[in-house]
Amino acid sequence: MNDTIAEGWTEQARPPALFRRFAFERYAQTRAFLERVAAVQDELGLAPQNISFGTTYVNVTIAASGEGGLGEAERELARRIAAAADACA
Amino acid sequence: MNDTIAEGWTEQARPPALFRRFAFERYAQTRAFLERVAAVQDELGLAPQNISFGTTYVNVTIAASGEGGLGEAERELARRIAAAADACA
């Protein structure tokens, strides 16, 4: 069994959430990433609980969407967001 | 003399910053607002220090861009952002 629900993300227990900070060199990359994250949200029908950003960083918090805690839906959202960051780096 | 640098915003002294929370009924409004804020940033050449958002809220922090503290540039950014929120409500 793999205890890591989403590689590269920090898992918080109470309340269940995934957190990750993405850093970029330029604001254009940050904005491109935010646009990709919005597209991912639309596609999956699931949004991060909070996105906090400045010109060259984006902090993403994904909370559990159901009572069962973090599951496959959150893991997929995290994976897709990380892929979006790779595409903008 | 008017001590209010930006009506509707909370002014913080150390470090100098303006803060305001914008709430929306729907995610579509939130996203439209974020897009307008990005356009305002581009136009003014000045960005909020931090924008933190969920599906129906956006918290905006504007820090002083120069050593002189909050000035006309920050006031204009705050005013334009507030106008963008009104346009999306």
Side-chain angles (χ1 to χ4, degrees):
Chain A
M1 182 179 160
N2 184 355
D3 284 338
T4 306
I5 191 167
E7 195 181 334
W9 293 71
T10 300
E11 191 171 347
Q12 174 188 308
R14 301 180 184 199
L18 297 170
F19 174 83
R20 187 162 174 177
R21 181 180 182 87
F22 299 94
F24 300 96
E25 288 183 12
R26 300 186 308 277
Y27 173 60
Q29 295 171 313
T30 303
R31 184 172 313 171
F33 173 61
L34 289 168
E35 285 171 7
R36 280 175 183 262
V37 170
V40 167
Q41 288 186 201
D42 289 348
E43 198 180 324
L44 300 183
L46 181 63
Q49 181 184 47
N50 180 266
I51 295 175
S52 176
F53 69 96
T55 50
T56 56
Y57 70 89
V58 182
N59 291 326
V60 180
T61 303
I62 297 172
S65 56
E67 294 195 358
L70 295 164
E72 188 48 46
E74 291 80 13
R75 185 202 302 260
E76 174 70 3
L77 180 60
R79 193 187 64 74
R80 293 285 300 275
I81 288 173
D86 287 341
C88 297
Chain B
M1 182 180 157
N2 184 356
D3 285 339
T4 305
I5 190 165
E7 195 180 334
W9 293 71
T10 300
E11 191 172 345
Q12 175 189 304
R14 302 183 185 199
L18 297 170
F19 174 83
R20 187 161 174 178
R21 180 180 183 89
F22 299 94
F24 300 95
E25 288 183 10
R26 299 186 308 279
Y27 173 58
Q29 295 170 313
T30 303
R31 180 164 328 164
F33 173 62
L34 289 168
E35 285 172 5
R36 281 175 183 263
V37 170
V40 168
Q41 288 186 201
D42 288 347
E43 198 180 323
L44 300 184
L46 181 64
Q49 181 184 48
N50 180 265
I51 295 175
S52 176
F53 69 96
T55 50
T56 57
Y57 71 90
V58 182
N59 292 326
V60 180
T61 304
I62 297 173
S65 56
E67 293 197 357
L70 295 163
E72 189 49 43
E74 290 79 14
R75 185 203 302 261
E76 174 70 2
L77 179 61
R79 194 188 64 72
R80 294 285 301 276
I81 289 173
D86 287 343
C88 296

